[in-house]
Structures are given as structure tokens and as C-alpha cells.
Amino acid sequence: QVQLQESGGGSVQAGGSLTLSCVTTRYTSSNVCLGWFRQAPGKGREGVARIDMLNGSPYYADSVKGRFIVSRDTAKNLLLLEMNNLKPEDTGMYFCAASTDRSCRHHGPEGHVYNFWGQGTQVTVSS
């Protein structure tokens, strides 16, 4: 079973930057996609970005396109999310997730195809 652990969350002012990290352990070679999701208080889960582990291609939600960068370090089993020009609406709990379902390659991050999840890291952006 894949295990994931996020870190790097915190509190920043609008316009600031944060970089989130997610370490994956155990059976990492079975992962087809790794994704980042977030959930704000009182709102549903939103797919933020994902990376195709087979070819490295990224996908971004429109809400973060041009501001966030998702990348991987396969040697370290590490998934990164560089977040720039943060806005108060980026506030939420951020989760990384892994999918062993090949369908994840064909669209943006959709939670139902991700079968392993981390515990989350909180990001708070103040205005």
C-alpha cells in the first residue's frame, strides 16, 4: 500500500509563496499519477494539480494555472507543489494523493480515481 506524507504548509500573506512536499513510500512504482487536492472550510474537495508519472506531464486547475508548479523527484519519491502569488482563496487543507488507475492520465485530478491519500497540510493565506 502506498503511503504519503505532506509537509510545507503554513501561513503567508497574499502575494507570498510556499512550496509543499509530499514523500511517497511503499510500492511507489505502481503510481500512475500523483496529485494535489485542497479543501477549504465548508467547501468540497478541489483538484489542484497532478503529474503523470509515466511521462511527467502536468495538469493544473484553472484557478491555479500560471501560479502553481507541480514537479517530481523520482529519485527521492518526492512530489512538490510550488505555490506563488498566493491568494486568500487558496486557503485550505492540501492533500497529496496517488492513483494506480491509468485513467488519471487522461484528465485533471479527480478524487475518485486516487486511491491513496496523505493526511494533509494546512495553508492559510491572509489578505
Tab-separated table of all heavy atoms in Angstrom, residues 7 56 64 92:
chain	number	residue	atom	x	y	z
A	7	SER	N	4.150	17.970	3.751
A	7	SER	CA	4.765	18.958	4.638
A	7	SER	C	4.899	20.270	3.880
A	7	SER	O	4.717	20.319	2.659
A	7	SER	CB	6.133	18.481	5.132
A	7	SER	OG	7.025	18.327	4.037
A	56	GLY	N	5.688	12.566	-17.071
A	56	GLY	CA	5.996	13.813	-16.380
A	56	GLY	C	5.119	14.985	-16.724
A	56	GLY	O	5.358	16.101	-16.252
A	64	VAL	N	-5.439	27.823	-10.506
A	64	VAL	CA	-4.037	27.945	-10.081
A	64	VAL	C	-3.072	28.033	-11.250
A	64	VAL	O	-1.865	28.231	-11.052
A	64	VAL	CB	-3.624	26.768	-9.174
A	64	VAL	CG1	-4.573	26.649	-7.991
A	64	VAL	CG2	-3.550	25.457	-9.955
A	92	GLY	N	-6.676	26.512	2.639
A	92	GLY	CA	-7.318	25.220	2.786
A	92	GLY	C	-6.344	24.161	3.230
A	92	GLY	O	-5.140	24.435	3.385
